[in-house]
């Protein structure tokens, strides 16, 4: 069909030796996290109460471009990486586009997504620090699954606070975590003070991500030998996820292909930031130019309809303030099926890059997203996650624009994961009962009015 | 860690050009299928009423060693093949064995198993014959999923009769098939005469595989432009699945590794037959020797406790008779969680090879299987299907024997798929409620007494 194979695999020896820290090449650094009480930048000591020491150092490091990937993390990466860069020949054919579509597929591991790339790094540093375990929260369950796999590997205790309604509605995700030995607690629970208070105030509540974060942070701070870990938003997470972009960059180089457009779905920014970092680095250093497009859900449009301001990262407002594109920590997004994209804010790094005009953003509606997902599944043979399908739709729209104009662009997008635990969403699409729920201007204004 | 990588991927150009037909090298050919009415070998004309013409030819071909893989099938294979041969370094370390463990992983596609290898071939021949569509049955759902993906690719109608209790208990499998455009009917249904009769005789029945087969065959024979397709047992299926073994053989050759033992799980024989075919060929031609071990569930032990005799392939006794190791088509296995291994008989090819002493068989209990599955998940990072986990346990036992004796064997096993749709089984294991149900001698004797 062509000299370019369907799937390009790097060898294991070509796995990056270092993560790439895009902050080092940014002229304006992302704004620091602020202590919610003092409104002063969080100090390493303050952060060290919640996060592992080495991760605090990575969080605050705006200068070192290359940060070595520890050997045990690289060994673990070799189990499921390098991930393939796939030429979507069959999708191109179905679209009748002159564009060339490539996707970096992160779903070929049991966590089902890219989340494992950062989970294993965070678990490693916790182990290295001699900790007993880590705590976290999970909503949809991808992050919790990835973390439980990482903790099983290093023999760390893993305590996951899972939003109670997800715990009950997604028993399968819960069982994967349990199989990896994680302790999964429905949140709110009576194992923490904040959980007990919420249960007393709101008996019968099915919980929220904000509440689960609060419980996980409390559990980390009050149990000797535990720290809290997070799967998105933070700069350290984008750093670990840069392995996605570095592999993509090398694979394209080996194929002799120059990307014109790079597209990723955007929730908290972990995948998008990881995919684009090295390309953004080239752009920041003036070595190459790329169009970079974030695709976010119209139901939770932080880039396209939010404000660039300091806001809380959690609904409970106990975590540090981050400067980011946000639609307000009090904003409650409609129950979109792309749970991984329902965060009100956006990584500080990506927010700064977007604010400087270095990348674009579009928002899309979920029925259109699932239509693209169905087309992708039928042509490319992979059932995509709802989150990933936002990037598919972005790429399809770009490919159709190329068809219109006759441009033979190289479009690269991130396919973050598989939809095997999202069949309830597919069912509502198959049944024709899925609807689009887009916030009104008044709703967004009301949420933004409550910014701190 | 070593010069041997974790994952060995062949290039797409190294994909086999032909399937390998092990029957060509067998001195005693597998016994022919018999017409249940006349007890005479089924003729091509008789078989052609149920199966596609080219598949009938493949079913009856005991002589041609190399059968070319059609170009469109090879193109489809390139989307998800060659599949990796993985060195299980972390499992070896956990076991403390001097043995080297390798597994051929067939789970990196949305059907979640090796079933897609034959589904795409069968769909291709149906399309080539100008048919409108195909019918089939599915129990656990792997085969139905694979077939729906294959039919979506070629634009064929796909009608799947899904055992009613599975249809209701496994809504997620059903939704994957629907996403690929398949028409999924709970069986028994009122869409066929046999279904209506069963519903009249047994109102409220939740169905059985035998009943679903009967409905699928009737639907194929009574609808113009349809044929019936099957995912295991048949010689044509083992032929298509030989792509697994051919890739394994080539990858080992490139690594300079000589396998000592080859292990696969055994239900109807599709995966095991595919994996071992080329190695068995070497053995039959006197070019090399291997120990070959089938691992079957103790709850459905056709090799280890069955009889080599002619029997019906379906519970309803409407299909041709096959000579095979069987525990009787009337045998109802206990509700083991490895649905894919609950078939009462075994491929005629494998049955003949086993009868000649060219391979071994062991049976294992499911609680031990899930213990091995858990260990594998935690060390190798892949949540295995219950079926595949039988092969894992077989390999673990062999590796522990090597530890005992100090032998540095190369053990190769087939990891047929992932367990993402089998979390109910994992839950019962995690909860400690899983039990082993092994048929008594009296139960097996009773079933064997009813052989035709």
């Amino acid at each position: 069909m062509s000299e370019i194979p369907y799937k390009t695999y790097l060898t294991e020896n070509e796995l990056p030796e270092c993560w790439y820290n895009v902050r080092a090449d940014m002229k304006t650094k992302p704004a620091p996290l602020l202590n919610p009480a003092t409104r002063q930048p969080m100090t390493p000591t303050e952060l060290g109460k919640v996060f592992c020491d080495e991760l605090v150092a990575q969080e605050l490091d705006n200068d070192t471009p290359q940060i070595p990937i520890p050997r045990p993390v690289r060994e673990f990466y070799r189990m499921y990486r390098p991930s393939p860069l796939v030429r979507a020949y069959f999708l191109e054919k179905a679209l009748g586009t002159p564009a060339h579509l490539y996707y970096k597929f992160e779903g070929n591991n049991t966590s089902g997504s890219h989340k494992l790339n950062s989970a294993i790094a965070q678990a490693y540093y916790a182990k290295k620090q001699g900790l007993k375990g880590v705590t976290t929260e999970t909503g949809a369950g991808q992050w919790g699954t990835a973390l439980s796999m990482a903790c099983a590997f290093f023999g760390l205790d893993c305590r996951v606070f899972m939003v109670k309604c997800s715990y009950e509605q997604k028993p399968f995700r819960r069982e994967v975590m349990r199989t990896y030995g994680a302790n999964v607690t429905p949140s709110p629970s009576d194992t923490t003070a904040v959980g007990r208070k919420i249960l007393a105030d709101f008996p019968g509540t099915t919980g929220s991500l904000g509440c689960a974060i609060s419980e996980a942070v409390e559990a980390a701070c009050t149990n000797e030998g535990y720290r809290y870990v997070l799967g998105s938003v933070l700069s350290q997470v984008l750093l670990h996820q840069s392995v996605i972009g570095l592999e993509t960059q090398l694979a394209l180089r080996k194929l002799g292909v120059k990307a014109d457009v790079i597209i990723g779905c955007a929730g908290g920014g972990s995948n998008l930031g990881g995919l684009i970092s090295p390309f953004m680095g080239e752009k920041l250093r003036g070595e190459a130019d790329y169009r970079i497009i974030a695709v976010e859900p119209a139901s939770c449009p932080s880039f396209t309809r939010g404000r660039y301001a300091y806001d809380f990262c959690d609904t409970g407002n106990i975590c540090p303030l981050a400067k980011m594109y946000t639609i307000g920590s009090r904003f409650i997004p409609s129950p979109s099926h792309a749970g991984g994209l329902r965060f009100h804010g956006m990584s500080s790094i990506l927010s700064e890059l977007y604010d400087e005009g270095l990348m674009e953003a579009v928002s899309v509606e979920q029925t259109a997203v699932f239509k693209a997902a169905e087309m992708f599944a039928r042509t490319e043979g992979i059932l995509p996650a709802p989150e990933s399908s936002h990037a598919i739709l972005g790429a399809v729209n770009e490919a159709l624009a190329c068809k219109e104009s006759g441009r033979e662009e190289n479009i690269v997008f991130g396919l973050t994961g598989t939809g095997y635990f999202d069949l309830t969403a597919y069912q509502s699409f198959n049944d024709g009962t899925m609807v689009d729920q887009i916030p009104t201007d008044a709703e967004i204004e009301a949420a933004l009015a409550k910014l701190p």
Side-chain angles (χ1 to χ4, degrees), chain A:
Chain A
M1 214 163 180
S2 152
E3 323 85 64
I4 288 182
Y6 282 67
K7 307 171 295 317
T8 299
Y9 284 100
L10 302 175
T11 69
E12 288 168 21
N13 292 331
E14 290 170 322
L15 252 174
E17 310 237 342
C18 296
W19 292 303
Y20 167 64
N21 183 5
V22 71
R23 287 167 286 171
D25 284 312
M26 290 170 70
K27 275 167 210 83
T28 306
K29 307 300 179 188
L33 296 170
L34 298 187
N35 182 316
T38 64
R39 303 286 160 113
Q40 293 300 308
M42 293 285 289
T43 65
T45 312
E46 285 168 341
L47 286 169
K49 289 174 189 163
V50 179
F51 300 113
C52 302
D53 297 342
E54 201 131 3
L55 292 167
V56 169
Q58 292 182 356
E59 191 64 29
L60 297 174
D61 187 339
N62 286 335
D63 305 304
T64 314
Q66 306 287 336
I67 295 180
I69 304 174
R71 195 186 164 83
V73 175
R74 281 190 91 224
E75 286 297 321
F76 186 88
Y77 278 171
R78 289 177 71 186
M79 278 208 293
Y80 70 101
R81 307 200 67 83
S83 70
L85 181 71
V86 188
R87 173 77 185 266
Y89 281 118
F90 292 120
L91 179 60
E92 288 171 20
K93 199 174 155 198
L95 294 170
T97 178
H100 296 184
L101 291 164
Y102 295 85
Y103 58 92
K104 180 69 170 170
F105 182 41
E106 292 290 316
N108 272 350
N109 71 76
T110 283
S111 82
S113 83
H114 66 293
K115 294 288 183 187
L116 198 51
N117 302 329
S118 183
I120 193 64
Q122 296 194 46
Y124 167 74
Y125 290 120
K127 182 73 180 176
K128 198 180 159 207
Q129 195 173 326
L131 298 176
K132 287 185 206 151
V134 292
T135 71
T136 199
E137 78 292 328
T138 200
Q142 282 95 333
W143 170 246
T145 308
L147 190 68
S148 65
M149 291 174 70
C151 286
F153 190 75
F154 285 122
L156 277 174
D157 188 33
C158 181
R159 298 195 189 172
V160 181
F161 289 88
M162 187 171 189
V163 178
K164 191 182 270 175
C165 63
S166 294
Y167 183 90
E168 283 159 5
Q169 285 169 8
K170 295 202 164 190
F172 291 169
R173 275 279 183 205
R174 181 187 76 206
E175 289 309 320
V176 180
M177 291 185 259
R178 285 182 71 204
T179 302
Y180 282 93
N183 185 321
V184 188
T185 305
S187 167
S189 74
D190 60 7
T191 67
T192 65
V194 64
R196 285 189 294 272
K197 182 171 186 317
I198 291 168
L199 283 172
D201 292 349
F202 308 97
T205 176
T206 55
S208 71
L209 206 52
C211 166
I213 293 178
S214 306
E215 287 204 83
V217 171
E218 179 186 321
C221 296
T222 55
N223 284 289
E224 187 65 32
Y226 283 79
R227 290 293 185 283
Y228 170 72
V229 294
L230 183 64
S232 192
V233 185
L234 297 175
S235 298
Q236 60 184 266
V237 176
L238 269 71
L239 173 71
H240 306 148
Q241 295 295 357
S242 69
V243 69
I244 305 172
L246 291 164
E247 287 181 10
T248 306
Q249 190 184 43
L250 180 55
L252 288 171
R253 214 170 269 164
K254 287 181 80 174
L255 292 174
V257 171
K258 161 77 176 60
D260 296 297
V261 191
I262 300 161
I263 297 173
C265 62
S270 67
N271 149 69
L272 180 68
L275 173 65
I276 70 167
S277 276
F279 299 97
M280 186 60 83
E282 292 180 52
K283 199 164 162 165
L284 289 166
R285 297 189 303 270
E287 296 165 7
D289 198 20
Y290 303 99
R291 278 183 67 211
I292 293 174
I293 307 175
V295 187
E296 63 181 14
S299 58
C300 195
S302 46
F303 267 145
T304 53
R305 296 175 70 193
R307 188 178 297 165
Y308 191 32
Y310 265 106
D311 193 8
F312 289 98
C313 290
D314 62 322
T315 320
N317 295 3
I318 62 163
C319 291
L321 294 160
K323 191 176 177 195
M324 56 186 175
Y325 272 85
T326 175
I327 40 171
S329 65
R330 300 295 175 88
F331 178 78
I332 310 283
S334 71
S336 148
H337 292 291
L341 306 182
R342 291 183 71 219
F343 188 64
H344 65 275
M346 183 61 63
S347 133
S348 291
I349 292 176
L350 294 180
S351 293
E352 178 58 31
L353 293 168
Y354 179 65
D355 198 57
E356 292 179 28
L358 290 161
M359 53 184 285
E360 308 165 34
V362 295
S363 77
V364 291
E365 299 177 15
Q366 74 170 346
T367 51
V369 166
F370 274 82
K371 223 167 153 179
E374 181 188 87
M375 183 187 208
F376 186 83
R378 292 185 183 184
T379 54
E380 290 291 316
I382 295 169
L383 189 81
E387 292 83 358
S388 325
S389 303
H390 285 69
I392 295 173
L393 178 55
V396 164
N397 287 341
E398 195 60 31
L400 291 175
C402 287
K403 185 179 180 178
E404 197 74 27
S405 64
R407 273 171 299 142
E408 208 176 299
E409 280 182 358
N410 292 315
I411 301 168
V412 177
F413 64 101
L415 192 76
T416 53
T418 50
Y420 307 144
F421 292 90
D422 302 289
L423 271 305
T424 310
Y426 276 96
Q427 181 168 8
S428 79
F429 177 73
N430 293 336
D431 289 343
T433 56
M434 180 177 279
V435 291
D436 294 313
Q437 289 175 285
I438 299 162
T440 63
D441 288 341
E443 281 165 340
I444 289 189
E445 274 162 37
L448 290 177
K450 287 177 193 146
L451 283 181

